[in-house]
Amino acid sequence: MSREVRLTSADRVIDPQSGTTKGDLFDYYGRIAPVLVPHLRNRPFTLKRWPYGIHGEAYFQKQAPRGMPDWIPTRRFTTHPRGGGSREVDFPLVDSREALLWMVQMNCVDMNAWYSRVDKPQRPDFVLFDLDPPDGEFRLAMRAAHLLREALEELELRSHVKTSGSEGIHVLVPITRRFTFPETHRFAELVSKQLAAENPGVITTEWLKRKRVGVLIDYHQNGAGKTLASAYSVRPKPGTPVSTPIRWEELTPRLDPGRFTMDAVLRRVEREGDLFEPVLRGGQSLGAALRRLERAVSPRP
């Protein structure tokens, strides 16, 4: 069975600032696929399509598009739209380089998939801490991220960090697949609120932007059906930066997330390999840490 992906409109400019074209994306994803695809494999995938470039209107598509090649597998899950009710959706699975390239042909810029895999859809592989700083405050996000890392280490949990591809930071805690989304959400909530209480002006859990002071840790991102732009995804931002795994010791004021361009990331991966590979191995239990956090907030008799 032929799996050739035919690219059309290769010269279409996706980002006028960098001059990035659809063909550039196709080339990048074809080359980065060996380290990116493992982070998407067996995870329900949502297409975020940008047919008119990153300054045009985008739309999400969960249902596998008509005409999708039959060599791209799908899995059916029940979803619950915000308007109420339920809907059966056939989600694509991006399990190969060719499937990844087909998503580029469908005008996907970044690659968004579930936190869980199809064999255990209610059991996520990781807890996500999504750090969203005020505009122009990436250094504050760095400070918040290191405070978060210290809190996780006190709970005897290792974490891994990547740039979001904008001014934000993603911190992932890989876990064994024994915990549910309500449990991972509760864990993230307790850690985030404790940090906010201890570090006012640096960390907040206030969702309303007009009331927010400091870096938001959005623990609500830990929910069934939520998606995350994978490591090595190009982000639909001016300059088309890449969401890039980094070492904790690299997270210093000298770090400029904008320097992680497609070419720079390809060179970096060739030199250092996949720094996010440990996330795929999981292996950490949340049980003891969650019980410790719950005891800290429970009223004493």
Side-chain angles (χ1 to χ4, degrees):
M1 181 187 301
S2 173
R3 292 191 174 192
E4 182 180 356
V5 178
R6 180 172 171 266
L7 177 67
T8 61
S9 304
D11 294 332
R12 180 188 298 154
V13 175
I14 301 299
D15 170 38
Q17 177 174 310
S18 62
T20 299
T21 65
K22 187 176 178 182
D24 294 330
L25 286 181
F26 195 84
D27 177 69
Y28 167 76
Y29 278 116
R31 295 169 64 189
I32 203 70
V35 294
L36 193 159
V37 170
H39 295 282
L40 299 176
R41 186 171 289 125
N42 292 326
R43 301 180 190 276
F45 183 91
T46 296
L47 289 81
K48 187 178 182 184
R49 303 175 69 173
W50 298 84
Y52 306 107
I54 66 170
H55 297 298
E57 186 175 350
Y59 63 96
F60 288 91
Q61 185 173 358
K62 296 180 179 180
Q63 175 64 39
R66 292 182 180 179
M68 189 177 78
D70 56 12
W71 45 261
I72 298 179
T74 63
R75 285 292 294 270
R76 178 168 293 185
F77 291 99
T78 302
T79 64
H80 300 278
R82 291 182 181 178
S86 62
R87 178 185 171 211
E88 297 297 309
V89 173
D90 299 304
F91 287 88
L93 304 181
V94 178
D95 290 354
S96 66
R97 175 180 180 273
E98 292 80 13
L100 179 64
L101 291 176
W102 194 82
M103 297 306 165
V104 179
Q105 168 59 10
M106 290 296 102
N107 299 305
C108 293
V109 176
D110 51 0
M111 304 298 161
N112 296 273
W114 284 14
Y115 305 4
S116 58
R117 287 173 270 167
V118 294
D119 60 331
K120 294 183 178 180
Q122 299 303 321
R123 309 282 175 167
D125 292 87
F126 53 83
V127 182
L128 171 69
F129 292 90
D130 183 0
L131 280 62
D132 182 13
D135 291 344
E137 293 284 352
F138 184 70
R139 288 192 177 191
L140 191 62
M142 290 183 188
R143 183 178 172 191
H146 282 293
L147 290 168
L148 171 59
R149 181 196 185 192
E150 291 171 8
L152 293 168
E153 286 180 343
E154 287 181 7
L155 294 167
E156 299 183 4
L157 293 168
R158 71 180 185 278
S159 57
H160 301 270
V161 61
K162 69 182 180 76
T163 65
S164 70
S166 183
E167 290 192 336
I169 294 172
H170 293 157
V171 176
L172 275 66
V173 180
I175 58 174
T176 57
R177 296 196 295 160
R178 295 199 304 266
F179 300 91
T180 64
F181 279 102
E183 288 172 315
T184 57
H185 182 281
R186 179 60 174 164
F187 173 79
E189 177 186 13
L190 291 171
V191 171
S192 302
K193 286 184 174 179
Q194 177 180 303
L195 283 168
E198 295 172 349
N199 301 277
V202 178
I203 294 172
T204 181
T205 58
E206 174 57 60
W207 192 79
L208 288 176
K209 203 162 189 177
R210 58 185 173 82
K211 295 183 178 181
R212 194 183 305 167
V213 179
V215 176
L216 171 66
I217 301 184
D218 188 359
Y219 60 83
H220 293 297
Q221 292 301 319
N222 293 278
K226 294 285 188 181
T227 62
L228 175 67
S230 73
Y232 309 109
S233 280
V234 178
R235 301 309 306 276
K237 303 287 183 181
T240 49
V242 175
S243 179
T244 305
I246 59 176
R247 295 183 176 89
W248 277 108
E249 54 266 30
E250 293 180 278
L251 196 60
T252 72
R254 296 192 300 273
L255 182 71
D256 174 11
R259 70 180 174 86
F260 292 124
T261 62
M262 289 182 283
D263 286 342
V265 168
L266 286 167
R267 292 193 299 270
R268 179 179 173 86
V269 168
E270 183 177 0
R271 184 175 67 249
E272 308 206 23
D274 179 14
L275 296 180
F276 244 41
E277 187 275 336
V279 174
L280 299 173
R281 288 185 256 138
Q284 299 185 110
S285 175
L286 281 185
L290 188 54
R291 288 191 296 271
R292 178 176 164 185
L293 291 165
E294 291 284 15
R295 284 196 300 268
V297 298
S298 296
R300 294 181 179 180

